[in-house]
Amino acid sequence: MVSSPEKQSFRIIVTTFSQTHLTDQLLAWFDQHHRDLPWRDAACGKRNPYRVWLAEIMLQQTTVTAVIPYYLNFLSKWPTVKAMAEAEDKDIMRAWAGLGYYARARNMVKCARFIADQCQGAFPRAAQDLLKLPGIGPYTAAAVSAIAFNGASAPVDGNVIRTLSRLYALDALMPKNKDQIQRKATALLPQDRSGDFAEALMDLGSQVCRPKNPDCQACPWIKSCQAYAGNVVLEFPKKAPKKLKPTRRGWAFWITRPNGHVLLEQRPPKGLLGRMMGLPSTPWEEDLASFDRAIKPFSASSCQACSGFIKHTFTHFHLELGIIQVSLEGDVEMAGVWVAPDDLETEALPSVMKKAIAHAQKS
DNA sequence: GAAACGTGGCG
DNA sequence: TCGCCAAGTTT
């Protein structure tokens, strides 16, 4: 059956009207529930692009609560993209330590240097151009363009996926539904206020359309939400079943010289905890090397295993790490840096290594 | 497309 | 205790 042209245009008008309605409802809600966050220091479109970008990089897969102290510290150390571009890698990694996903920090500096050296310190305004920069993917490109420049882009993050999946009862599995959600989000863009719209949709997802315990009664879209109407809100978004995490095990070494200094190594520039500092360690594998085998390189020294082991969970595996204390008799030369215990806190140590160090020091 | 890539909080 | 989850990008 073919619709008449009149019928089609009528449908387009109705669709457009209801989308406008949704957009207006969302923006009205946003105006009443505006959150005061450190990076929201001016109206959308009038923000400092460097600060917007810095916040968006940090907020990738990371909660607002975790980001705030890091954001403030970075801004105080490196107030401009030029300042960050001139920073040393080591200082960036130190300041990022504990925030996780360290490739973000490595790409961030790379991006800052590109902006400073190749773009006269000015961020591109269009999402399409931002997308070419290191560490900036589809989400961040759209977010920076919308929030810093009021560009007509709709960032789609986990909040947006969840909220729109519920609003339209979208059955597609994450993350295959990304294109569909992107089209829905773009269709809802207002004529102006793209930046407010971006923040509004993400705020709605994080504060109202929460993963668990959503507050549907507070939602401006309650009358339009298909999942709510069907009483199946928690069934969206549809997700593939999670894979089981394997457990890997290893030994880390607390190696001290007679003066009490301890040996740290910088990890390789890519891969897990890349470019961060840590205790020397055996590889982390599913089969644990025996104590005797692990201490072979230190056969002439006194070696003692701390009781128990530390547990830590990464994105794709659990880790059980045993700690072996090695007390060297003299100032043996070894690859790495010797650090006084009091100076450990200033090193670029990821959380798992801080945990291992605490375990070694209390044993 | 799938896997790698951190961490801390919450129920 | 433990699985789930949070403002994704890269390879």
Side-chain angles (χ1 to χ4, degrees), chain A residues 95-336:
Chain A
W96 195 278
L99 197 56
Y101 283 139
Y102 299 99
R104 291 184 295 171
R106 304 193 298 268
N107 285 327
M108 183 181 70
V109 190
K110 204 184 295 180
C111 182
R113 289 173 186 155
F114 184 87
I115 298 282
D117 298 344
Q118 309 294 325
C119 310
Q120 294 78 47
F123 279 82
R125 302 171 64 93
Q128 183 187 341
D129 298 323
L130 287 159
L131 192 54
K132 298 172 188 163
L133 302 171
I136 297 187
Y139 163 77
T140 307
V144 171
S145 180
I147 296 168
F149 302 113
N150 239 342
S153 305
V156 172
D157 70 341
N159 289 310
V160 177
I161 290 173
R162 185 174 57 256
T163 304
L164 296 187
S165 294
R166 289 172 175 173
L167 177 65
Y168 296 114
L170 302 177
D171 282 322
L173 239 51
M174 287 231 294
K176 298 181 70 172
N177 56 5
K178 193 82 198 294
D179 283 346
Q180 187 183 21
I181 307 260
Q182 181 69 66
R183 287 194 298 275
K184 294 286 189 189
T186 304
L188 288 170
L189 271 174
Q191 288 289 12
D192 50 6
R193 299 189 68 184
S194 294
D196 287 343
F197 173 79
E199 289 183 338
L201 194 43
M202 292 190 280
D203 279 9
L204 185 68
S206 64
Q207 297 176 64
V208 175
C209 198
R210 299 177 293 233
K212 296 172 183 173
N213 189 26
D215 186 7
C216 295
Q217 298 309 317
C219 183
W221 286 347
I222 187 170
K223 289 181 179 168
S224 308
C225 182
Q226 296 185 29
Y228 180 79
N231 196 25
V232 287
V233 169
L234 293 181
E235 292 179 26
F236 296 92
K238 306 281 187 185
K239 295 179 185 176
K242 306 265 177 180
K243 285 172 184 171
L244 213 58
K245 285 179 193 192
T247 297
R248 297 185 194 170
R249 301 169 181 87
W251 296 103
F253 300 97
W254 177 261
I255 305 170
T256 52
R257 278 180 164 177
N259 66 0
H261 288 201
V262 57
L263 185 65
L264 294 185
E265 285 179 348
Q266 187 180 34
R267 299 175 61 85
K270 289 186 177 179
L272 187 67
L273 310 177
R275 204 165 289 176
M276 299 297 283
M277 302 299 289
L279 297 179
S281 171
T282 65
W284 300 342
E285 294 164 341
E286 300 198 17
D287 295 309
L288 177 64
S290 71
F291 175 83
D292 289 341
R293 182 183 169 82
I295 66 168
K296 270 235 167 94
F298 311 102
S299 56
S301 313
S302 99
C303 299
Q304 183 175 4
C306 298
S307 66
F309 48 86
I310 66 130
K311 288 188 171 188
H312 191 83
T313 299
F314 292 101
T315 311
H316 52 299
F317 65 93
H318 302 289
L319 176 67
E320 294 175 0
L321 197 58
I323 314 293
I324 297 173
Q325 294 177 326
V326 182
S327 304
L328 299 178
E329 304 289 334
D331 285 352
V332 182
E333 288 302 320
M334 302 189 74

Side-chain angles (χ1 to χ4, degrees), chain A residues 66-84:
Chain A
V67 163
I68 287 176
Y70 284 87
Y71 173 82
L72 294 173
N73 186 40
F74 267 76
L75 210 51
S76 103
K77 278 193 164 74
W78 303 292
T80 64
V81 68
K82 185 169 179 291
M84 180 180 285

